[in-house]
Amino acid sequence: MTYVARIVDVPGSGLRLEPAEGSVAPELPNDVNLLGMAAALALGAAGYKHHPEVRDPEMQTLEALLAGEAVMPWRHPESPADAVLVCETGPGGPQCRVEQRPA
């Protein structure tokens, strides 16, 4: 499985993932959690910072984030344009990376 989503900056709020056409988030809770953790690790490695803002646990779920329905309090200090989260699932679980793509 491959999950690809454009990282959309939501000014004053954080970021939202916009899944690419054909990208589908997993349905099983454990798989959602693993993909969410891999995505968070990739965002952190790419320089994004999670801010300790109060989150709404009913609205800001991993399922909603991966579906592109929730904004999460992650920000990049330089606000890179056209960043894409690419996650591939293999036998060892999902591995994600952030790529910069031309506009």
Side-chain angles (χ1 to χ4, degrees), residues 6-72:
R6 187 166 75 93
I7 300 170
V8 178
D9 182 50
V10 179
S13 297
L15 67 80
R16 180 178 58 80
L17 298 177
E18 184 178 277
E21 187 173 327
S23 281
V24 178
E27 294 181 17
L28 297 175
N30 189 52
D31 294 339
V32 169
N33 289 337
L34 290 173
L35 182 58
M37 289 178 65
L41 289 170
L43 290 168
Y48 288 82
K49 304 286 182 197
H50 185 272
H51 292 274
E53 298 174 7
V54 177
R55 119 182 139 78
D56 180 348
E58 290 184 26
M59 297 290 294
Q60 294 173 309
T61 64
L62 287 176
E63 293 85 357
L65 174 68
L66 296 172
E69 300 167 353
V71 175
M72 298 301 262

